[in-house]
Amino acid sequence: MKRTLLALSLTAAVCAAAHADPAQIARGKYLATAADCSACHTATNGKPFGGGFAVSTPFGQIYGTNISSDPEYGIGSWSEDEFVAAVRDGVGKGGKQLYPAMPYDAFSKMRREDVLAIRAYLLALPAVHVASPETQLGFPYNQRWGLRFWKWLNLDKGALKPDPAQSPQWNNGRYLVEALAHCGTCHTPRNITKGMDNGSPLSGGDLGGWMAWNITPDKNAGIGDWSEKQLVTYLKTGFVAGRASASGPMAEAVEHSLQYLPDSDLQDIALYLRSVKPVGDDKQTRPRDDWGQPTATVSQLRGSSDAWRRENAGAVVFAGNCASCHGASGGGSGTGFGAYPSLSHHTTTGAWDSRNLISVVLNGVHRKMSQGEVFMPPFAPELSDEQVADVANFVSREFGNPAAASVTAKQVAERRQEAKLASPPVYGQGDKP
């Protein structure tokens, strides 16, 4: 009986894909890319949309589901209404409440025809006959019925309607930022229930080991001193010399989604972001890329005493691990796509919060771009918690915002544990490293 039902579902899925409008499928591919669906629904080295990717949350790991055309483990047997309900309302097949790791609090603003275009694209792709790992959270977060109350507090239903007082470009930018690309999911702070705090939209979000920075047009805390061209370049490439280079979740968004969007969309995003209400932050007293300058501290290592080296442990770590790429003076090296960024006038080192700096040192940077790969090795396997703290404080003091130079080994250990990163080996006396 089960095989018969699966065969019927598979036949229905194949028929639906065969009769789908090619234009709808093409638009669905674009929409799925803009929405970055593959980021959570494709496991590392897994087949496209076959699920299994582990999404870390404050409550435990949630696994991305299989959304391929497979009728048993994917969406091959789902009706249009069931798929729309999952994307926009967070309700899966059979009424299962979905965790808001799926950003349906943003996707609720998507137009129904766009959701169905994504479905048509997914059904046109090969099925992945693999079951995703089952999400298992501890009590009380395993009580999915409680999500109904969360939605009552945090989910505003209804597709975005164009503002007739604004241009088509502004409306498209708003749709991309607020709905499709769901920028607020990371860049908007969370309220006490972990829903988006819509009183301060896009003013920065806490992602645990990472900060998603303020992207309102505030001059100090946000992107108020960025030009439209710089914003477009950053979204397209993840790098703007003298300002920023993407790492962590933002690097993933650039890699999997933003680099593939047409420049017109990126221009519309920049237009919209520059129009929203600026939100300041008293802790960020100057623009993040306005801090720092190259220094000669590392050059003092030659001929220095043991006492000086102990007092400047961060400089020693920097010289041995960072200077070969970023330069002894921290000014970076190279030009164009393959450049190693300067550590002064950089939005990571110029922040009052050191979290991203710590996480970059521990995790490294890896962006697969159309031009090639951008790579910085992770130093979690090489440096101790104390060494990471020392070099982070050195970089903040020498090249960035001194207010962030208060990192402790305990904080690094917490970040390492959150990211499930291994510690470097500990050698005993007489052991060879």
Side-chain angles (χ1 to χ4, degrees):
M1 182 67 175
K2 183 177 180 181
R3 289 184 179 179
T4 301
L5 291 174
L6 285 176
L8 290 172
S9 297
L10 179 59
T11 301
V14 170
C15 290
H19 290 86
D21 180 358
Q24 185 189 36
I25 293 174
R27 177 156 177 79
K29 179 180 180 180
Y30 154 77
L31 293 165
T33 302
D36 203 4
C37 300
S38 66
C40 293
H41 293 284
T42 301
T44 304
N45 300 320
K47 294 182 178 179
F49 305 108
F53 184 81
V55 180
S56 297
T57 76
F59 317 111
Q61 285 194 331
I62 296 174
Y63 291 95
T65 54
N66 184 330
I67 57 170
S68 76
S69 58
D70 186 78
E72 182 176 3
Y73 298 124
I75 62 163
S77 63
W78 291 37
S79 70
E80 291 185 351
D81 287 342
E82 286 172 331
F83 187 75
V84 171
V87 173
R88 298 204 305 185
D89 302 331
V91 179
K93 189 177 179 66
K96 184 178 184 179
Q97 296 293 321
L98 304 181
Y99 291 110
M102 164 74 170
Y104 50 77
D105 49 352
F107 291 163
S108 63
K109 300 176 182 179
M110 288 178 61
R111 295 183 283 267
R112 178 182 172 89
E113 59 267 28
D114 284 349
V115 179
L116 293 179
I118 292 175
R119 175 179 178 269
Y121 166 64
L122 294 174
L123 292 178
L125 296 176
V128 181
H129 191 65
V130 176
S132 299
E134 187 68 27
T135 295
Q136 295 182 344
L137 302 183
F139 184 84
Y141 307 110
N142 59 352
Q143 304 298 303
R144 291 179 181 255
W145 58 267
L147 291 168
R148 293 187 178 92
F149 296 100
W150 187 91
K151 292 176 182 179
W152 181 74
L153 292 170
N154 297 295
L155 186 60
D156 295 324
K157 295 185 178 183
L160 277 180
K161 297 186 182 302
D163 184 344
Q166 299 288 348
S167 67
Q169 292 78 17
W170 184 93
N171 278 299
N172 183 50
R174 180 190 178 208
Y175 187 64
L176 284 162
V177 169
E178 295 192 15
L180 194 57
H182 56 282
C183 303
T185 299
C186 290
H187 289 279
T188 294
R190 296 280 165 168
N191 58 33
I192 193 171
T193 67
K194 300 302 180 183
M196 283 192 282
D197 179 3
N198 292 317
S200 302
L202 305 176
S203 63
D206 183 347
L207 306 181
W210 298 90
M211 283 292 293
W213 300 120
N214 184 325
I215 54 173
T216 74
D218 183 79
K219 290 290 186 181
N220 289 337
I223 57 170
D225 63 340
W226 288 56
S227 69
E228 179 181 303
K229 181 179 180 181
Q230 288 172 328
L231 286 170
V232 170
T233 299
Y234 182 71
L235 295 172
K236 192 76 173 180
T237 69
F239 177 69
V240 176
R243 283 202 182 275
S245 51
S247 55
M250 188 64 200
E252 294 175 7
V254 172
E255 176 183 336
H256 297 296
S257 174
L258 296 171
Q259 69 167 318
Y260 299 109
L261 298 189
D263 286 355
S264 58
D265 274 353
L266 302 180
Q267 290 162 2
D268 293 347
I269 289 173
L271 172 68
Y272 177 70
L273 289 177
R274 286 159 59 87
S275 77
V276 302
K277 180 182 177 181
V279 181
D281 184 343
D282 292 340
K283 295 179 179 179
Q284 193 66 47
T285 57
R286 283 161 53 185
R288 287 182 291 117
D289 54 26
D290 191 40
W291 292 85
Q293 58 186 2
T295 70
T297 302
V298 171
S299 65
Q300 299 176 37
L301 280 170
R302 176 173 292 184
S304 63
S305 66
D306 289 343
W308 189 93
R309 287 171 175 262
R310 286 193 296 270
E311 292 175 1
N312 295 273
V316 175
V317 177
F318 182 88
N321 298 275
C322 314
S324 58
C325 292
H326 294 286
S329 65
S333 62
T335 59
F337 177 78
Y340 294 101
S342 169
L343 299 179
S344 56
H345 300 290
H346 194 289
T347 53
T348 296
T349 60
W352 66 267
D353 189 308
S354 61
R355 251 178 295 185
N356 286 14
L357 178 56
I358 297 169
S359 290
V360 166
V361 175
L362 289 173
N363 294 276
V365 177
H366 194 194
R367 297 195 308 272
K368 292 182 179 180
M369 307 298 295
S370 57
Q371 306 100 305
E373 292 191 48
V374 176
F375 182 74
M376 168 183 157
F379 285 94
E382 308 295 333
L383 301 180
S384 69
D385 296 335
E386 186 174 2
Q387 287 175 314
V388 173
D390 287 341
V391 76
N393 290 330
F394 173 78
V395 168
S396 293
R397 281 195 306 267
E398 296 290 318
F399 312 123
N401 188 343
S406 58
V407 180
T408 66
K410 180 181 178 182
Q411 290 173 322
V412 176
E414 291 170 351
R415 297 282 172 263
R416 192 190 294 269
Q417 185 175 12
E418 288 173 357
K420 294 181 172 55
L421 298 172
S423 297
V426 178
Y427 298 105
Q429 188 174 3
D431 290 343
K432 292 184 178 181

